[in-house]
Amino acid sequence: GENVEQHPSTLSVQEGDSAVIKCTYSDSASNYFPWYKQELGKRPQLIIDIRSNVGEKKDQRIAVTLNKTAKHFSLHITETQPEDSAVYFCALYTGTASKLTFGTGTRLQVTL
Amino acid sequence: EAQVTQNPRYLITVTGKKLTVTCSQNMNHEYMSWYRQDPGLGLRQIYYSMNVEVTDKGDVPEGYKVSRKEKRNFPLILESPSPNQTSLYFCASSSSGAYNEQFFGPGTRLTVL
């Protein structure tokens, strides 16, 4: 199936700093790119998504950018807060099969 | 309350003893799927279903079976569990395929001894 590489696997930032997580993919037919947040012991939940006809989308402190030419998309969290500490997963949908392929996750730790 | 439920939440079993993990959603979603989550590997799709009586393999279907006889239910069946199936399992549903928000269940932690 489609591969998606996610980096870094762990990220530690100080409260108030920004965090960036990047995912790269290979199939140019990919057209939907969601990001999920999983708090410790909880289920994954969608926090933001972007479709291939848009280059950037923002929702308060969270933004996602998509570079279709370079085949990568990134999650940006500004003014990080302790409650942002979680595992973040990127995912992508290609359309050749009706399924999502997830990245391996990034554990974000926001320290005081 | 709109939700996806799974049962059981925790299960310890032994190799070869058939088990079923149930998944139910009350949102009238057509699309349902099963994932397993393992450290360092992220979420990997096991099976998915576009609608009643329509199921298809995901990326790691070996050792699993599913059925979709009703729209709301999508059970995961392990006919002969093995230790490498020890994992955290999530069911998810969506109103229209994998192209939209997936609503996940609370997870089932399975240990196969």
Side-chain angles (χ1 to χ4, degrees):
Chain A
E2 171 61 54
N3 285 327
V4 55
E5 292 191 11
Q6 182 171 346
H7 296 283
S9 57
T10 60
L11 179 59
S12 182
V13 299
Q14 283 198 319
E15 184 179 6
D17 287 350
S18 295
V20 181
I21 303 169
K22 182 177 178 179
C23 287
T24 59
Y25 61 97
S26 56
D27 190 340
S28 57
S30 300
N31 55 12
Y32 173 60
F33 309 88
W35 285 90
Y36 285 79
K37 175 183 180 182
Q38 185 180 29
E39 297 177 357
L40 188 63
K42 301 288 181 63
R43 70 194 78 187
Q45 290 187 298
L46 180 73
I47 54 171
I48 196 167
D49 58 10
I50 193 168
R51 301 187 190 272
S52 59
N53 57 345
V54 176
E56 182 174 359
K57 184 176 179 181
K58 191 172 182 180
D59 183 4
Q60 298 182 18
R61 297 185 297 106
I62 293 173
V64 56
T65 58
L66 172 63
N67 184 326
K68 290 203 71 178
T69 302
K71 298 193 185 74
H72 65 73
F73 56 111
S74 299
L75 177 70
H76 305 255
I77 306 174
T78 58
E79 300 173 24
T80 53
Q81 302 169 3
E83 53 264 39
D84 295 328
S85 295
V87 178
Y88 292 82
F89 293 98
C90 65
L92 59 84
Y93 171 81
T94 300
T96 51
S98 187
K99 61 191 183 79
L100 283 177
T101 299
F102 282 82
T104 51
T106 296
R107 182 173 299 279
L108 173 64
Q109 181 71 43
V110 180
T111 58
L112 298 173
Chain B
E1 179 189 356
Q3 60 181 347
V4 179
T5 58
Q6 294 178 228
N7 281 292
R9 295 288 314 280
Y10 302 90
L11 180 60
I12 300 174
T13 189
V14 295
T15 300
K17 186 176 182 182
K18 181 180 179 180
L19 66 93
T20 299
V21 184
T22 65
C23 173
S24 183
Q25 50 92 8
N26 63 359
M27 295 172 279
N28 201 36
H29 284 170
E30 293 181 347
Y31 182 87
M32 297 185 75
S33 61
W34 276 102
Y35 295 88
R36 61 178 289 174
Q37 183 175 10
D38 302 289
L41 298 177
L43 291 153
R44 294 180 293 167
Q45 193 174 50
I46 303 170
Y47 269 94
Y48 63 95
S49 169
M50 295 292 291
N51 213 325
V52 176
E53 302 292 1
V54 180
T55 62
D56 210 342
K57 296 177 180 178
D59 293 319
V60 288
E62 297 78 19
Y64 305 94
K65 286 176 57 177
V66 293
S67 68
R68 188 89 182 274
K69 294 183 171 56
E70 306 166 283
K71 197 171 188 178
R72 63 183 293 127
N73 296 323
F74 190 44
L76 179 70
I77 303 156
L78 284 72
E79 294 268 4
S80 183
S82 62
N84 64 12
Q85 292 179 298
T86 292
S87 186
L88 178 59
Y89 291 87
F90 286 100
C91 178
S93 73
S94 169
S95 59
S96 53
Y99 193 65
N100 283 290
E101 179 176 6
Q102 304 296 302
F103 293 87
F104 284 84
T108 295
R109 186 164 293 282
L110 173 66
T111 301
V112 183
L113 301 175

